[in-house]
Amino acid sequence: MTAPAADLTGWAAAPFTAGGHTHDVYRRGTGPGVVLIPEIPGIHPGVLALGNHLVDNGFTVAMPSLFGVPGKDVTVGYTAATIARACVAREFAAFATNKARPVSLFLRALARDLNASTPGKGVGVIGQCFTGGFALAAAVDDSVLAPVLSQPSVPLPLGRTRRSDTGLSASEMSTIVDRTTNDGLCAMGLRFSEDWMSPRERFTALKERLGDAFEVIEIDSRPGNEHGFAKAAHSVLTDEVREIDGHPAYEARKRVVEFLTARLT
């Protein structure tokens, strides 16, 4: 069995401008809003399948195309080229620590726009891999009630300081902590246990700041693990999902849907 995959059928795209940047945003569905931020190399068939799954579970999904070619299959060369471009883009500040990333302004505005056009108490934001931490940064805005950080990898974990960096500025983190204390904000984080790109130290730092408001799902990818995950297993909600009851990534995807449903409806 392979990971779910889909194409662009049913998705409508339109440009959206905020924070000095314009990106096409693909939308589909009815119900409470979820901003689904693609992982590197972009809105690939696995990300589209995740978007369709959220739509099938009653959400309106908005996917901003921040990089890559929407619908294009993943290849090694395509991924490497996209990483190279994203890493030097000022919008993402891939290596900076304690940094407010410009893309966060765009995502907060998109969340507000989606919230204004959908039912529910607010919106969810799912970030993955390169964009994982952007979901929490988006929650500086009051419209975001359910940020999900799937294998957050920025800042790229080169050196001890970057491995434990939360991906937010001190001011952004202060706002998030205040929201968890006073507004009941909750967040989710997902990673594989041996994933060096999304280091455990980052989750430890987030847990220290957010406490019980940060729910962590860590899937065992140690050698000899029960479900046969490779040590390099990375994409919890896309590449590693097998739609079999009891499969850890499948169960994690179920839990994300439960979390979004509870928070937004």
Side-chain angles (χ1 to χ4, degrees):
M1 181 175 286
T2 59
D7 58 26
L8 289 165
T9 300
W11 293 88
F16 183 80
T17 301
H21 296 277
T22 299
H23 298 287
D24 282 342
V25 176
Y26 289 74
R27 300 183 191 237
R28 184 169 179 245
T30 58
V34 177
V35 177
L36 176 57
I37 319 172
E39 59 194 355
I40 295 284
I43 301 177
H44 63 73
V47 173
L48 286 163
L50 176 58
N52 285 345
H53 180 71
L54 294 170
V55 169
D56 291 344
N57 277 273
F59 298 102
T60 301
V61 177
M63 289 189 296
S65 181
L66 302 181
F67 34 68
V69 179
K72 184 173 180 177
D73 289 334
V74 177
T75 65
V76 173
Y78 172 38
T79 299
T82 306
I83 290 173
R85 287 191 292 269
C87 283
V88 298
R90 292 182 181 180
E91 187 177 7
F92 307 128
F95 295 97
T97 59
N98 188 24
K99 172 76 172 178
R101 289 165 170 78
V103 69
S104 299
L105 299 177
F106 176 89
L107 294 170
R108 289 169 198 157
L110 178 58
R112 288 193 298 272
D113 178 77
L114 184 61
N115 187 44
S117 62
T118 54
K121 299 182 291 185
V123 300
V125 181
I126 300 175
Q128 307 171 86
C129 178
F130 192 84
T131 68
F134 302 167
L136 190 59
V140 167
D141 193 273
D142 290 345
S143 65
V144 178
L145 298 183
V148 178
L149 296 68
S150 192
Q151 72 273 357
S153 305
V154 169
L156 298 179
L158 304 176
R160 181 180 300 174
T161 299
R162 290 189 179 93
R163 286 198 300 272
S164 60
D165 191 273
T166 63
L168 279 69
S169 69
S171 175
E172 288 173 325
M173 180 55 74
S174 178
T175 299
I176 296 298
V177 171
D178 180 73
R179 289 199 65 202
T180 62
T181 302
N182 298 310
D183 299 341
L185 178 71
C186 294
M188 281 190 71
L190 306 93
R191 67 180 296 273
F192 283 97
S193 65
E194 308 307 299
D195 185 3
W196 71 270
M197 290 182 63
S198 182
R200 181 175 285 113
E201 294 95 325
R202 183 163 297 155
F203 275 41
T204 299
L206 287 165
K207 192 69 174 176
E208 287 174 351
R209 296 303 306 273
L210 304 181
D212 291 341
F214 185 50
E215 177 182 344
V216 174
I217 295 177
E218 184 177 87
I219 299 173
D220 184 9
S221 57
R222 292 173 298 178
N225 67 85
E226 177 185 356
H227 294 275
F229 291 112
K231 187 177 181 180
H234 178 63
S235 297
V236 177
L237 298 176
T238 56
D239 293 350
E240 299 296 339
V241 170
R242 302 295 183 269
E243 294 182 320
I244 304 169
D245 286 337
H247 185 275
Y250 184 52
E251 296 300 327
R253 194 182 70 175
K254 288 182 185 178
R255 176 60 194 136
V256 168
V257 171
E258 290 173 355
F259 174 71
L260 293 171
T261 301
R263 299 293 300 168
L264 305 181
T265 60

PDB file of all heavy atoms in Angstrom, residues 86-103 130 134 154-156 162 165 167:
ATOM      1  N   ALA A  86      14.119  28.102  -1.738  1.00  0.00           N
ATOM      2  CA  ALA A  86      13.434  28.501  -0.505  1.00  0.00           C
ATOM      3  C   ALA A  86      14.421  28.938   0.574  1.00  0.00           C
ATOM      4  O   ALA A  86      14.139  29.860   1.352  1.00  0.00           O
ATOM      5  CB  ALA A  86      12.574  27.347   0.002  1.00  0.00           C
ATOM      6  N   CYS A  87      15.572  28.294   0.605  1.00  0.00           N
ATOM      7  CA  CYS A  87      16.533  28.583   1.671  1.00  0.00           C
ATOM      8  C   CYS A  87      17.140  29.976   1.569  1.00  0.00           C
ATOM      9  O   CYS A  87      17.618  30.514   2.568  1.00  0.00           O
ATOM     10  CB  CYS A  87      17.643  27.527   1.677  1.00  0.00           C
ATOM     11  SG  CYS A  87      17.149  25.958   2.419  1.00  0.00           S
ATOM     12  N   VAL A  88      17.128  30.556   0.380  1.00  0.00           N
ATOM     13  CA  VAL A  88      17.713  31.891   0.222  1.00  0.00           C
ATOM     14  C   VAL A  88      16.644  32.980   0.146  1.00  0.00           C
ATOM     15  O   VAL A  88      16.969  34.159   0.040  1.00  0.00           O
ATOM     16  CB  VAL A  88      18.618  31.955  -1.027  1.00  0.00           C
ATOM     17  CG1 VAL A  88      19.783  30.985  -0.880  1.00  0.00           C
ATOM     18  CG2 VAL A  88      17.838  31.666  -2.302  1.00  0.00           C
ATOM     19  N   ALA A  89      15.374  32.581   0.215  1.00  0.00           N
ATOM     20  CA  ALA A  89      14.292  33.560   0.128  1.00  0.00           C
ATOM     21  C   ALA A  89      14.130  34.291   1.464  1.00  0.00           C
ATOM     22  O   ALA A  89      13.998  33.670   2.514  1.00  0.00           O
ATOM     23  CB  ALA A  89      12.988  32.869  -0.248  1.00  0.00           C
ATOM     24  N   ARG A  90      14.138  35.601   1.424  1.00  0.00           N
ATOM     25  CA  ARG A  90      13.967  36.394   2.649  1.00  0.00           C
ATOM     26  C   ARG A  90      12.624  36.133   3.311  1.00  0.00           C
ATOM     27  O   ARG A  90      12.484  36.288   4.527  1.00  0.00           O
ATOM     28  CB  ARG A  90      14.101  37.880   2.316  1.00  0.00           C
ATOM     29  CG  ARG A  90      15.506  38.300   1.891  1.00  0.00           C
ATOM     30  CD  ARG A  90      15.565  39.791   1.625  1.00  0.00           C
ATOM     31  NE  ARG A  90      16.899  40.214   1.197  1.00  0.00           N
ATOM     32  CZ  ARG A  90      17.215  41.469   0.895  1.00  0.00           C
ATOM     33  NH1 ARG A  90      16.283  42.423   0.954  1.00  0.00           N
ATOM     34  NH2 ARG A  90      18.445  41.763   0.523  1.00  0.00           N
ATOM     35  N   GLU A  91      11.637  35.745   2.521  1.00  0.00           N
ATOM     36  CA  GLU A  91      10.292  35.506   3.035  1.00  0.00           C
ATOM     37  C   GLU A  91      10.276  34.426   4.112  1.00  0.00           C
ATOM     38  O   GLU A  91       9.459  34.451   5.023  1.00  0.00           O
ATOM     39  CB  GLU A  91       9.389  35.094   1.869  1.00  0.00           C
ATOM     40  CG  GLU A  91       7.922  34.983   2.216  1.00  0.00           C
ATOM     41  CD  GLU A  91       7.064  34.653   1.009  1.00  0.00           C
ATOM     42  OE1 GLU A  91       7.624  34.377  -0.079  1.00  0.00           O
ATOM     43  OE2 GLU A  91       5.834  34.663   1.160  1.00  0.00           O
ATOM     44  N   PHE A  92      11.221  33.466   4.022  1.00  0.00           N
ATOM     45  CA  PHE A  92      11.212  32.312   4.918  1.00  0.00           C
ATOM     46  C   PHE A  92      12.308  32.342   5.985  1.00  0.00           C
ATOM     47  O   PHE A  92      12.174  31.664   7.005  1.00  0.00           O
ATOM     48  CB  PHE A  92      11.339  31.019   4.112  1.00  0.00           C
ATOM     49  CG  PHE A  92      10.322  30.881   3.015  1.00  0.00           C
ATOM     50  CD1 PHE A  92      10.707  30.600   1.718  1.00  0.00           C
ATOM     51  CD2 PHE A  92       8.967  31.050   3.273  1.00  0.00           C
ATOM     52  CE1 PHE A  92       9.768  30.473   0.703  1.00  0.00           C
ATOM     53  CE2 PHE A  92       8.024  30.935   2.275  1.00  0.00           C
ATOM     54  CZ  PHE A  92       8.425  30.650   0.976  1.00  0.00           C
ATOM     55  N   ALA A  93      13.378  33.089   5.751  1.00  0.00           N
ATOM     56  CA  ALA A  93      14.480  33.203   6.723  1.00  0.00           C
ATOM     57  C   ALA A  93      14.846  31.834   7.306  1.00  0.00           C
ATOM     58  O   ALA A  93      14.783  31.602   8.511  1.00  0.00           O
ATOM     59  CB  ALA A  93      14.097  34.175   7.841  1.00  0.00           C
ATOM     60  N   ALA A  94      15.242  30.922   6.411  1.00  0.00           N
ATOM     61  CA  ALA A  94      15.376  29.510   6.765  1.00  0.00           C
ATOM     62  C   ALA A  94      16.423  29.220   7.825  1.00  0.00           C
ATOM     63  O   ALA A  94      16.347  28.200   8.508  1.00  0.00           O
ATOM     64  CB  ALA A  94      15.681  28.698   5.503  1.00  0.00           C
ATOM     65  N   PHE A  95      17.426  30.090   7.974  1.00  0.00           N
ATOM     66  CA  PHE A  95      18.512  29.806   8.908  1.00  0.00           C
ATOM     67  C   PHE A  95      18.479  30.680  10.164  1.00  0.00           C
ATOM     68  O   PHE A  95      19.194  30.404  11.128  1.00  0.00           O
ATOM     69  CB  PHE A  95      19.868  29.990   8.215  1.00  0.00           C
ATOM     70  CG  PHE A  95      20.109  29.021   7.099  1.00  0.00           C
ATOM     71  CD1 PHE A  95      19.851  29.382   5.783  1.00  0.00           C
ATOM     72  CD2 PHE A  95      20.567  27.737   7.355  1.00  0.00           C
ATOM     73  CE1 PHE A  95      20.059  28.483   4.744  1.00  0.00           C
ATOM     74  CE2 PHE A  95      20.788  26.829   6.326  1.00  0.00           C
ATOM     75  CZ  PHE A  95      20.528  27.213   5.019  1.00  0.00           C
ATOM     76  N   ALA A  96      17.658  31.719  10.163  1.00  0.00           N
ATOM     77  CA  ALA A  96      17.679  32.691  11.257  1.00  0.00           C
ATOM     78  C   ALA A  96      17.047  32.129  12.524  1.00  0.00           C
ATOM     79  O   ALA A  96      16.062  31.391  12.479  1.00  0.00           O
ATOM     80  CB  ALA A  96      16.944  33.957  10.832  1.00  0.00           C
ATOM     81  N   THR A  97      17.619  32.470  13.669  1.00  0.00           N
ATOM     82  CA  THR A  97      17.057  32.088  14.961  1.00  0.00           C
ATOM     83  C   THR A  97      16.367  33.291  15.591  1.00  0.00           C
ATOM     84  O   THR A  97      16.692  34.441  15.283  1.00  0.00           O
ATOM     85  CB  THR A  97      18.150  31.568  15.902  1.00  0.00           C
ATOM     86  OG1 THR A  97      19.141  32.585  16.082  1.00  0.00           O
ATOM     87  CG2 THR A  97      18.819  30.319  15.319  1.00  0.00           C
ATOM     88  N   ASN A  98      15.401  33.006  16.489  1.00  0.00           N
ATOM     89  CA  ASN A  98      14.659  34.064  17.181  1.00  0.00           C
ATOM     90  C   ASN A  98      14.191  35.129  16.193  1.00  0.00           C
ATOM     91  O   ASN A  98      14.421  36.315  16.373  1.00  0.00           O
ATOM     92  CB  ASN A  98      15.531  34.690  18.277  1.00  0.00           C
ATOM     93  CG  ASN A  98      14.757  35.661  19.154  1.00  0.00           C
ATOM     94  OD1 ASN A  98      13.543  35.569  19.271  1.00  0.00           O
ATOM     95  ND2 ASN A  98      15.469  36.607  19.748  1.00  0.00           N
ATOM     96  N   LYS A  99      13.522  34.680  15.144  1.00  0.00           N
ATOM     97  CA  LYS A  99      13.223  35.543  14.007  1.00  0.00           C
ATOM     98  C   LYS A  99      11.747  35.484  13.638  1.00  0.00           C
ATOM     99  O   LYS A  99      11.167  34.401  13.529  1.00  0.00           O
ATOM    100  CB  LYS A  99      14.070  35.089  12.812  1.00  0.00           C
ATOM    101  CG  LYS A  99      13.755  35.748  11.486  1.00  0.00           C
ATOM    102  CD  LYS A  99      14.297  37.157  11.411  1.00  0.00           C
ATOM    103  CE  LYS A  99      14.129  37.718   9.994  1.00  0.00           C
ATOM    104  NZ  LYS A  99      14.616  39.115   9.916  1.00  0.00           N
ATOM    105  N   ALA A 100      11.147  36.666  13.440  1.00  0.00           N
ATOM    106  CA  ALA A 100       9.797  36.737  12.873  1.00  0.00           C
ATOM    107  C   ALA A 100       9.933  36.649  11.354  1.00  0.00           C
ATOM    108  O   ALA A 100      10.599  37.488  10.738  1.00  0.00           O
ATOM    109  CB  ALA A 100       9.123  38.039  13.275  1.00  0.00           C
ATOM    110  N   ARG A 101       9.347  35.645  10.747  1.00  0.00           N
ATOM    111  CA  ARG A 101       9.514  35.409   9.316  1.00  0.00           C
ATOM    112  C   ARG A 101       8.439  36.147   8.521  1.00  0.00           C
ATOM    113  O   ARG A 101       7.253  36.057   8.845  1.00  0.00           O
ATOM    114  CB  ARG A 101       9.489  33.893   9.045  1.00  0.00           C
ATOM    115  CG  ARG A 101      10.755  33.250   9.577  1.00  0.00           C
ATOM    116  CD  ARG A 101      10.730  31.758   9.714  1.00  0.00           C
ATOM    117  NE  ARG A 101      12.086  31.292   9.993  1.00  0.00           N
ATOM    118  CZ  ARG A 101      12.684  31.370  11.195  1.00  0.00           C
ATOM    119  NH1 ARG A 101      12.033  31.858  12.237  1.00  0.00           N
ATOM    120  NH2 ARG A 101      13.927  30.962  11.343  1.00  0.00           N
ATOM    121  N   PRO A 102       8.826  36.876   7.466  1.00  0.00           N
ATOM    122  CA  PRO A 102       7.852  37.673   6.710  1.00  0.00           C
ATOM    123  C   PRO A 102       6.656  36.881   6.214  1.00  0.00           C
ATOM    124  O   PRO A 102       5.549  37.416   6.141  1.00  0.00           O
ATOM    125  CB  PRO A 102       8.694  38.215   5.547  1.00  0.00           C
ATOM    126  CG  PRO A 102      10.082  38.305   6.103  1.00  0.00           C
ATOM    127  CD  PRO A 102      10.217  37.116   7.012  1.00  0.00           C
ATOM    128  N   VAL A 103       6.834  35.597   5.890  1.00  0.00           N
ATOM    129  CA  VAL A 103       5.713  34.805   5.404  1.00  0.00           C
ATOM    130  C   VAL A 103       4.595  34.714   6.434  1.00  0.00           C
ATOM    131  O   VAL A 103       3.425  34.519   6.083  1.00  0.00           O
ATOM    132  CB  VAL A 103       6.189  33.383   5.002  1.00  0.00           C
ATOM    133  CG1 VAL A 103       6.593  32.568   6.221  1.00  0.00           C
ATOM    134  CG2 VAL A 103       5.122  32.654   4.199  1.00  0.00           C
ATOM    135  N   PHE A 130       9.274  22.246   6.086  1.00  0.00           N
ATOM    136  CA  PHE A 130       9.813  23.597   5.978  1.00  0.00           C
ATOM    137  C   PHE A 130       8.844  24.634   6.537  1.00  0.00           C
ATOM    138  O   PHE A 130       9.253  25.654   7.083  1.00  0.00           O
ATOM    139  CB  PHE A 130      10.110  23.881   4.501  1.00  0.00           C
ATOM    140  CG  PHE A 130      10.933  25.106   4.236  1.00  0.00           C
ATOM    141  CD1 PHE A 130      12.316  25.056   4.303  1.00  0.00           C
ATOM    142  CD2 PHE A 130      10.326  26.297   3.896  1.00  0.00           C
ATOM    143  CE1 PHE A 130      13.079  26.188   4.048  1.00  0.00           C
ATOM    144  CE2 PHE A 130      11.076  27.428   3.633  1.00  0.00           C
ATOM    145  CZ  PHE A 130      12.458  27.378   3.712  1.00  0.00           C
ATOM    146  N   PHE A 134       5.551  27.669  10.753  1.00  0.00           N
ATOM    147  CA  PHE A 134       4.757  28.812  10.322  1.00  0.00           C
ATOM    148  C   PHE A 134       3.328  28.726  10.861  1.00  0.00           C
ATOM    149  O   PHE A 134       2.654  29.746  11.017  1.00  0.00           O
ATOM    150  CB  PHE A 134       4.719  28.916   8.799  1.00  0.00           C
ATOM    151  CG  PHE A 134       6.065  29.030   8.127  1.00  0.00           C
ATOM    152  CD1 PHE A 134       6.176  28.855   6.758  1.00  0.00           C
ATOM    153  CD2 PHE A 134       7.211  29.302   8.845  1.00  0.00           C
ATOM    154  CE1 PHE A 134       7.409  28.958   6.121  1.00  0.00           C
ATOM    155  CE2 PHE A 134       8.455  29.403   8.221  1.00  0.00           C
ATOM    156  CZ  PHE A 134       8.548  29.229   6.850  1.00  0.00           C
ATOM    157  N   VAL A 154      12.218  24.480  10.301  1.00  0.00           N
ATOM    158  CA  VAL A 154      12.853  25.801  10.207  1.00  0.00           C
ATOM    159  C   VAL A 154      12.856  26.453  11.574  1.00  0.00           C
ATOM    160  O   VAL A 154      11.827  26.451  12.256  1.00  0.00           O
ATOM    161  CB  VAL A 154      12.108  26.686   9.170  1.00  0.00           C
ATOM    162  CG1 VAL A 154      12.561  28.137   9.240  1.00  0.00           C
ATOM    163  CG2 VAL A 154      12.330  26.137   7.758  1.00  0.00           C
ATOM    164  N   PRO A 155      14.020  27.024  11.989  1.00  0.00           N
ATOM    165  CA  PRO A 155      15.258  27.115  11.224  1.00  0.00           C
ATOM    166  C   PRO A 155      15.892  25.752  10.992  1.00  0.00           C
ATOM    167  O   PRO A 155      15.779  24.857  11.853  1.00  0.00           O
ATOM    168  CB  PRO A 155      16.149  28.005  12.084  1.00  0.00           C
ATOM    169  CG  PRO A 155      15.640  27.814  13.476  1.00  0.00           C
ATOM    170  CD  PRO A 155      14.163  27.634  13.332  1.00  0.00           C
ATOM    171  N   LEU A 156      16.511  25.601   9.841  1.00  0.00           N
ATOM    172  CA  LEU A 156      17.139  24.322   9.518  1.00  0.00           C
ATOM    173  C   LEU A 156      18.102  23.949  10.636  1.00  0.00           C
ATOM    174  O   LEU A 156      18.904  24.772  11.075  1.00  0.00           O
ATOM    175  CB  LEU A 156      17.857  24.421   8.175  1.00  0.00           C
ATOM    176  CG  LEU A 156      16.934  24.734   6.985  1.00  0.00           C
ATOM    177  CD1 LEU A 156      17.737  24.832   5.704  1.00  0.00           C
ATOM    178  CD2 LEU A 156      15.835  23.692   6.844  1.00  0.00           C
ATOM    179  N   ARG A 162      20.118  26.135  16.654  1.00  0.00           N
ATOM    180  CA  ARG A 162      19.002  26.024  15.714  1.00  0.00           C
ATOM    181  C   ARG A 162      18.121  24.817  16.026  1.00  0.00           C
ATOM    182  O   ARG A 162      16.925  24.858  15.790  1.00  0.00           O
ATOM    183  CB  ARG A 162      19.520  25.955  14.277  1.00  0.00           C
ATOM    184  CG  ARG A 162      20.115  27.280  13.782  1.00  0.00           C
ATOM    185  CD  ARG A 162      20.405  27.235  12.294  1.00  0.00           C
ATOM    186  NE  ARG A 162      20.940  28.499  11.820  1.00  0.00           N
ATOM    187  CZ  ARG A 162      22.231  28.774  11.737  1.00  0.00           C
ATOM    188  NH1 ARG A 162      23.129  27.867  12.105  1.00  0.00           N
ATOM    189  NH2 ARG A 162      22.640  29.949  11.302  1.00  0.00           N
ATOM    190  N   ASP A 165      15.679  25.975  18.567  1.00  0.00           N
ATOM    191  CA  ASP A 165      14.939  27.204  18.266  1.00  0.00           C
ATOM    192  C   ASP A 165      13.498  26.859  17.881  1.00  0.00           C
ATOM    193  O   ASP A 165      13.252  25.913  17.133  1.00  0.00           O
ATOM    194  CB  ASP A 165      15.617  27.959  17.126  1.00  0.00           C
ATOM    195  CG  ASP A 165      15.064  29.355  16.946  1.00  0.00           C
ATOM    196  OD1 ASP A 165      14.058  29.509  16.208  1.00  0.00           O
ATOM    197  OD2 ASP A 165      15.605  30.294  17.548  1.00  0.00           O
ATOM    198  N   GLY A 167      11.443  28.573  16.062  1.00  0.00           N
ATOM    199  CA  GLY A 167      11.015  29.085  14.776  1.00  0.00           C
ATOM    200  C   GLY A 167      10.240  30.379  14.862  1.00  0.00           C
ATOM    201  O   GLY A 167       9.747  30.882  13.844  1.00  0.00           O
TER     202      GLY A 167
END
